């Protein structure tokens, strides 16, 4: 059973699974880790900025990862022309400013993008399916896209570790 972004329940990736199963599991593990880092906090605590003037906060990370999921799975792999969720100027950094956001708003957007991403990945014939990535001026595989997403979550979950500890002292991997 895969972890869901609605809960912080994390399922360890398989030690001997197939490639696609393992990539799915690692991505879901990192998605669940972000949710876990936010568990039990108020909207105000989730909006707490790391080090002003930086706008980075736990809620900002959730919003940013919604934008990242949307970009790679809807726009890039899916070819949809959809706007950014929190920017009229295509600015991924705008999502970090969660000063006017709520848990309900940010997590609803993130959950919707995660579910869409899962559906896109599941519908793909194989990890070898490719799509043109304009900013790289090359084709990239679904495999690379999933690895990129794991990298994005892992990097930002490191930020989430420090943000959560600053809010209430909670730590844990």
């Amino acid at each position: 059973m895969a972890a869901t972004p609605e809960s912080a329940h994390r399922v360890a990736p398989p030690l001997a699974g197939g490639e696609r199963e393992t990539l799915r599991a690692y991505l879901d593990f990192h998605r669940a880790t972000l949710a876990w880092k936010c568990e039990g906090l108020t909207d105000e605590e989730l909006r707490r900025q790391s080090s002003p003037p930086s706008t980075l906060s736990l809620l900002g990370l959730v919003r940013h990862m919604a934008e990242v999921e949307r970009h790679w799975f809807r726009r890039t792999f899916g070819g949809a022309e959809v706007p950014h969720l929190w920017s009229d100027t295509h600015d991924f950094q705008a999502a970090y400013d969660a000063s006017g956001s709520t848990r309900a708003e940010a997590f609803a957007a993130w959950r919707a993008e995660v579910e869409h991403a899962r559906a896109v990945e599941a519908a793909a014939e194989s990890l070898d399916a490719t799509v043109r990535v304009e900013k790289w001026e090359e084709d990239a595989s679904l495999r690379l896209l999933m690895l990129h997403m794991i990298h994005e979550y892992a990097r930002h979950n490191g930020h989430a570790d420090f943000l959560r500890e600053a809010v209430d002292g909670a730590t844990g991997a």
Side-chain angles (χ1 to χ4, degrees):
M1 183 173 121
T4 64
E6 297 84 29
S7 71
H9 179 70
R10 299 183 307 162
V11 175
L15 297 177
E19 180 182 21
R20 197 163 186 172
E21 174 190 9
T22 301
L23 288 173
R24 280 178 183 156
Y26 266 96
L27 186 49
D28 277 340
F29 178 83
H30 282 291
R31 287 167 171 154
T33 298
L34 180 58
W36 176 51
K37 292 296 175 179
C38 297
E39 193 170 76
L41 297 178
T42 66
D43 283 8
E44 181 181 330
E45 290 168 326
L46 288 169
R47 286 189 298 263
R48 189 171 301 162
Q49 295 175 353
S50 61
S51 181
S54 170
T55 59
L56 185 63
S57 67
L58 286 164
L59 204 55
L61 286 175
V62 172
R63 288 165 41 112
H64 175 72
M65 290 312 299
E67 289 285 17
V68 172
E69 296 266 7
R70 184 176 184 89
H71 174 74
W72 287 108
F73 288 99
R74 282 193 199 267
R75 286 191 200 100
T76 302
F77 200 79
E81 292 188 26
V82 294
H84 281 243
L85 295 165
W86 293 284
S87 171
D88 294 333
T89 62
H90 311 291
D91 179 8
F92 282 92
Q93 303 306 310
Y96 285 128
D97 183 2
S99 57
S101 187
T102 65
R103 169 193 296 274
E105 173 256 344
F107 273 86
W110 180 61
R111 281 192 301 271
E113 295 306 326
V114 166
E115 291 309 314
H116 183 81
R118 285 184 178 135
V120 167
E121 181 274 320
E125 190 172 312
S126 80
L127 293 173
D128 293 324
T130 60
V131 65
R132 181 79 174 168
V133 179
E134 292 304 323
K135 75 178 189 172
W136 296 340
E137 299 179 352
E138 292 187 46
D139 289 350
S141 68
L142 177 59
R143 176 183 297 102
L144 180 72
L145 187 147
M146 291 181 75
L147 286 167
H148 180 73
M149 289 301 299
I150 292 166
H151 164 81
E152 280 280 328
Y153 274 101
R155 184 166 59 107
H156 289 309
N157 283 340
H159 300 137
D161 287 338
F162 288 117
L163 289 163
R164 178 62 189 250
E165 186 175 7
V167 170
D168 66 0
T171 60

